[in-house]
Amino acid sequence: MLFLGFSAGLPFLLVFSTLNARLADVGVDTATIGFFSWLGITYSIKVFWAPVVDRLRLPVLDALFGKRRSWILLAQAGIATGLFLMASVDALAAPETLALCGLLVAFSSATQDVAIDAYRIEIAQERLQAALAATYIFGYRLALLVAGAGALYLAEFWSWQVSYQVMAALVGVGALTVLVIREPEVNHFAAAEDIAGQVEEEARKRGHLPRGLARFTGWFYAAVAGPFVDFFRRYRELAVVILLLVAVYRISDIAMGVMANPFYLDFMGFSKTQVADVTKVFGFFMTIVGSMVGGVLVVRYGVRRILLAGAIMTAGTNLLFVLLAQQPPNLATLAVVVSADNLSGGIANVALIAWLSSMTSASFTATQYALFSSLMTLPGKFLGGFSGMVVAGFGYAEFFLIAGLMGIPAILLVLYLMRNGARLDSLAPAKN
């Protein structure tokens, strides 16, 4: 999971901030750079093609490597190809071509995320999911350093072409990992085949469809509707509460993060170097520590208790920023607050990933987890768009207070689910 996490994190910045730095460095206008941010939409809508990853067996590759590993390898091939093409494209002369190559990388990267998440959930028992998630996050964060600072160093001392070629070569880390790991021993098709058979039978009887078209109708319904039918049928009215918690759990954290850098630079007056030292160095290590601690705590005390602790800590650290906004600038105080924020974020993130992983069905792992992962970021990103208006109208201290209060619904929903813990456990799907 360490190396698969590295493979998942590597392409992310190469189609975001690192790509933006490349475009600005060669003189691409800011309006065009802004349009490149649309590449990130692929990560938020991956749930739409996750059913294909769940249900389609890749010709030849599936027989050689199995369903999960074959999809990961195919996605990695797309990432490496896209990065290699991006290395050779003149960003100033052909921005459209660069955007198409970036789209190949982003689409393949989002597909790889779907397949790796499914692999992680299926390869081990629920009690180990937090440890796997913590190790995955560690590898992901290391990849962000390589694709961020590492790519910039390569571009500075050699060129952007060399930088992206090296990044394309590093995709081999994930590919080699896939070649040596084993395929999960999970029945991916049991429930889906049952649904497909029922729909096929009904389509032939009521719709008088030809056999081939009826079979495709059953397959398509099982692939697209099956994961959602399975989820709502299994959890009934608790399904709505679960989805609400997924949607609001990270709102406080994401909304606050939008205004973090402007707060450090414009309001507090810290230099770019000081902000980079504190947020990158302390932030990186404290997130890793938080992830590891979260993994241990989940194994020791159970996922729902740590889910509650993570929600409380995330909201609480936002209140620390309220105090920070009312104090004169002090680098040591900033380091303490940022460290606490990243520590709590690491614990909360591991607990959330482990909890979501425990609720996916083996027959629809990729699609159901893609639904969760898309839902847990979209509301926060949407509300984060209004954060500048709140700061302009009220101020930073008030904004951080509001961001902290936005964490209360998550705390209440976790408490409600804890009261229904026995029922949730009885409804949880078997993974093997």
Side-chain angles (χ1 to χ4, degrees):
M1 290 314 305
L2 175 70
F3 294 117
L4 289 179
F6 181 89
S7 182
L10 185 69
F12 186 75
L13 292 185
L14 299 175
V15 290
F16 284 107
S17 60
T18 300
L19 178 58
N20 292 342
R22 173 183 176 181
L23 296 172
D25 188 46
V26 299
V28 176
D29 64 272
T30 53
T32 302
I33 294 175
F35 288 129
F36 271 84
S37 67
W38 287 350
L39 293 174
I41 294 175
T42 53
Y43 290 91
S44 296
I45 61 173
K46 59 188 177 184
V47 66
F48 290 116
W49 64 89
V52 177
V53 179
D54 250 343
R55 294 286 294 142
L56 183 64
R57 298 177 186 267
L58 294 173
V60 182
L61 288 177
D62 186 89
L64 292 174
F65 303 106
K67 187 168 74 168
R68 297 309 181 201
R69 292 197 301 156
S70 63
W71 272 105
I72 297 173
L73 278 175
L74 180 64
Q76 290 169 343
I79 295 169
T81 301
L83 290 176
F84 185 79
L85 292 175
M86 289 178 74
S88 57
V89 173
D90 187 331
L92 196 59
E96 298 89 352
T97 304
L98 184 64
L100 290 174
C101 297
L103 181 60
L104 173 61
V105 174
F107 177 80
S108 300
S109 176
T111 303
Q112 179 186 228
D113 289 349
V114 171
I116 289 179
D117 284 333
Y119 177 87
R120 172 180 51 77
I121 294 169
E122 294 170 352
I123 198 64
Q125 299 173 0
E126 180 183 339
R127 66 184 183 85
L128 297 177
Q129 286 300 319
L132 293 180
T135 311
Y136 173 87
I137 292 171
F138 186 22
Y140 198 99
R141 291 281 175 173
L142 287 175
L144 293 183
L145 284 180
V146 172
L152 292 176
Y153 282 131
L154 289 171
E156 177 70 22
F157 290 107
W158 282 278
S159 66
W160 283 110
Q161 181 178 3
V162 170
S163 178
Y164 269 74
Q165 286 175 342
V166 171
M167 296 299 118
L170 286 175
V171 178
V173 172
L176 288 174
T177 303
V178 174
L179 293 178
V180 299
I181 59 179
R182 65 180 176 87
E183 180 73 6
E185 297 177 359
V186 174
N187 184 354
H188 304 292
F189 296 99
E193 291 293 350
D194 290 342
I195 294 174
Q198 293 170 9
V199 173
E200 179 184 345
E201 186 68 24
E202 289 297 317
R204 290 179 61 191
K205 285 181 179 179
R206 301 188 182 188
H208 305 290
L209 297 179
R211 188 176 196 81
L213 186 56
R215 182 174 299 149
F216 174 78
T217 302
W219 181 92
F220 184 81
Y221 182 86
V224 176
F228 306 100
V229 171
D230 171 80
F231 179 76
F232 281 96
R233 182 181 294 166
R234 182 152 34 87
Y235 288 107
R236 301 180 181 89
E237 75 280 359
L238 287 178
V240 177
V241 180
I242 291 169
L243 293 179
L244 279 175
L245 178 56
V246 174
V248 304
Y249 191 79
R250 294 195 59 201
I251 279 184
S252 177
D253 181 37
I254 295 174
M256 188 282 294
V258 175
M259 284 291 110
N261 281 333
F263 170 69
Y264 302 146
L265 297 168
D266 299 335
F267 184 79
M268 299 297 290
F270 293 113
S271 69
K272 295 183 182 65
T273 302
Q274 289 173 322
V275 172
D277 288 342
V278 172
T279 60
K280 298 303 180 184
V281 177
F282 283 98
F284 172 78
F285 285 107
M286 292 309 292
T287 300
I288 297 305
V289 170
S291 299
M292 298 301 177
V293 170
V296 173
L297 291 177
V298 168
V299 173
R300 177 67 179 82
Y301 297 105
V303 66
R304 282 189 287 268
R305 289 183 181 179
I306 308 308
L307 196 68
L308 176 63
I312 295 172
M313 291 173 67
T314 299
T317 51
N318 279 342
L319 300 181
L320 292 180
F321 281 93
V322 175
L323 298 177
L324 186 63
Q326 298 173 331
Q327 302 296 322
N330 183 288
L331 202 59
T333 305
L334 176 66
V336 171
V337 173
V338 168
S339 297
D341 181 58
N342 283 274
L343 179 68
S344 63
I347 293 173
N349 203 28
V350 165
L352 181 62
I353 291 174
W355 179 61
L356 296 180
S357 301
S358 70
M359 292 188 297
T360 60
S361 168
S363 299
F364 308 104
T365 311
T367 305
Q368 289 180 350
Y369 193 85
L371 168 66
F372 294 148
S373 60
S374 296
L375 187 60
M376 70 184 179
T377 57
L378 279 176
K381 288 180 179 178
F382 175 75
L383 291 176
F386 299 101
S387 57
M389 297 174 60
V390 177
V391 170
F394 299 96
Y396 277 105
E398 291 77 7
F399 166 73
F400 291 129
L401 177 61
I402 293 171
L405 294 176
M406 288 169 66
I408 293 177
I411 296 172
L412 296 177
L413 287 170
V414 175
L415 287 171
Y416 178 80
L417 290 178
M418 288 179 70
R419 291 182 59 186
N420 291 271
R423 186 179 172 203
L424 279 174
D425 292 338
S426 68
L427 298 173
K431 291 295 188 296
N432 294 296

